[in-house]
Amino acid sequence: MKILKISLLLIIIIASNSFAQDKKDILGEILNEVGFSRADLGYDYKGYWNRFPLDIPYRLTSFDDLFKEPLKLYDYAIVMGNVTEKYLDPKYSDSANDGLYKLLYNLGIDRKLGGFRSYSANLLPPPEGLNPISIAIERLFTLADKQVEFYTFGNRAEWPDIKKEINNKTENLPDSVKIILSELIVNLTDAIKWRNLAFRNCDREDMEKAFIIRDLANTQVDGMIYYPELDDIAVTIDIPSLHYAALKVVAASEKAERSLIRFIKDIPDDFEMELETPYG
């Protein structure tokens, strides 16, 4: 019976496309001819079926309902398509700072985690000071519980002098660019904080094992290798905090990119800055 329903659905789709201009309820008529209604099209599984995988991990929140109402797949896809058309349209993307942010939320997070609100990424303002980039990077070190100043024999060490290195490398940047970059660094630091919160309950050993996996795509098609650490991490990870971190990264990067466009001509052609931090 289930095979018949699947075959019938394919026939219905073809028939619906063929008679799209007809005002009649072609779908209803075809279903009626074979003794079915729209309610019969879904795949409503039962818990008492033998060997049916009831507890399937990692499936989307929309999967079960779309499985039961396959005709809703069209509406589901149309909504996602509308989002893409709106926020990737040059009329929007060239004039707003939140296109990628809204794409990430509507096509990714909202489809994975229902109920997560996207009113704002709550971006932090740039730090105030003579060199805001230096202050921003110092916050990055502080988050990792690292210092930027070192003392020995009761005096401040001459090396390494991270603040002096930053000031020397950024001295030729306009103040406007320093403010934009410092704001980006501050908000990426905030995103790292939320990322760390997301993994706070995960086992460190499991995390290290997951980071060195290099053959996941090649080994999971036929289940040749099982990595239990991935399942263990999935159980303990704080998904909302991880999504919040992702929204912050996208929002901060998009705002910085849009703001820097106006000052590209003021940045020296030979400007290059490389600094090792606790996070890369």
Side-chain angles (χ1 to χ4, degrees):
M1 182 61 69
K2 295 300 178 182
I3 295 177
L4 174 61
K5 288 185 180 182
I6 295 173
S7 301
L8 178 61
L9 181 59
L10 294 175
I11 296 173
I12 290 169
I13 293 173
I14 296 172
S16 297
N17 290 334
S18 301
F19 299 101
Q21 303 301 320
D22 200 318
K23 298 293 184 180
K24 296 181 180 179
D25 182 10
I26 302 299
L27 175 57
E29 291 185 6
I30 293 176
L31 288 171
N32 186 63
E33 283 292 325
V34 293
F36 287 105
S37 68
R38 282 178 168 80
D40 296 312
L41 295 177
Y43 195 79
D44 190 7
Y45 55 80
K46 305 298 181 183
Y48 52 74
W49 290 353
N50 292 338
R51 301 186 65 189
F52 188 81
L54 293 176
D55 299 322
I56 306 173
Y58 317 126
R59 69 178 183 269
L60 296 177
T61 54
S62 57
F63 180 82
D64 287 348
D65 290 327
L66 289 175
F67 215 38
K68 295 176 182 178
E69 299 181 75
L71 293 180
K72 289 295 182 180
L73 280 166
Y74 176 80
D75 299 327
Y76 190 78
I78 284 296
V79 169
M80 296 179 71
N82 290 341
V83 169
T84 304
E85 288 184 357
K86 177 178 180 178
Y87 295 120
L88 287 184
D89 189 313
K91 293 180 181 178
Y92 187 95
S93 60
D94 290 346
S95 60
N97 291 332
D98 62 353
L100 289 179
Y101 172 86
K102 290 183 176 178
L103 279 173
L104 172 62
Y105 174 78
N106 287 286
L107 298 183
I109 293 174
D110 192 46
R111 292 290 179 260
K112 177 68 172 62
L113 188 71
F116 192 98
R117 297 295 177 254
S118 65
Y119 301 120
S120 169
N122 296 318
L123 296 181
L124 303 175
E128 297 180 357
L130 294 177
N131 191 341
I133 292 181
S134 179
I135 299 172
I137 293 177
E138 186 173 357
R139 291 187 187 180
L140 188 64
F141 276 76
T142 300
L143 179 64
D145 198 23
K146 301 293 183 180
Q147 60 197 78
V148 295
E149 292 183 343
F150 303 88
Y151 288 82
T152 181
F153 298 106
N155 297 306
R156 187 176 179 216
E158 295 183 0
W159 184 91
D161 192 336
I162 298 175
K163 287 186 177 181
K164 182 178 180 180
E165 181 181 356
I166 296 171
N167 290 332
N168 290 339
K169 290 183 175 180
T170 60
E171 62 180 352
N172 293 328
L173 287 179
D175 289 341
S176 53
V177 174
K178 290 181 181 179
I179 292 173
I180 295 170
L181 292 179
S182 67
E183 183 178 17
L184 174 62
I185 295 169
V186 163
N187 282 288
L188 292 180
T189 301
D190 194 37
I192 293 172
K193 182 192 76 174
W194 283 96
R195 177 265 179 202
N196 292 344
L197 282 173
F199 290 101
R200 67 187 182 277
N201 295 320
C202 299
D203 183 81
R204 293 294 112 185
E205 185 177 344
D206 286 338
M207 297 280 288
E208 292 174 1
K209 290 180 179 178
F211 276 124
I212 62 175
I213 295 175
R214 295 292 181 267
D215 59 356
L216 192 66
N218 298 327
T219 60
Q220 298 308 296
V221 177
D222 295 317
M224 293 180 287
I225 298 179
Y226 173 55
Y227 293 108
E229 55 269 22
L230 298 182
D231 282 331
D232 293 340
I233 292 172
V235 171
T236 53
I237 192 173
D238 174 4
I239 294 295
S241 291
L242 188 62
H243 285 174
Y244 192 39
L247 287 172
K248 285 180 174 290
V249 170
V250 169
S253 301
E254 191 169 20
K255 182 179 180 181
E257 187 268 346
R258 180 56 55 86
S259 300
L260 283 172
I261 288 176
R262 294 174 294 169
F263 301 103
I264 287 294
K265 64 181 185 302
D266 300 324
I267 300 176
D269 294 336
D270 60 347
F271 174 74
E272 181 178 344
M273 177 176 174
E274 184 174 335
L275 181 70
E276 185 176 348
T277 77
Y279 297 101

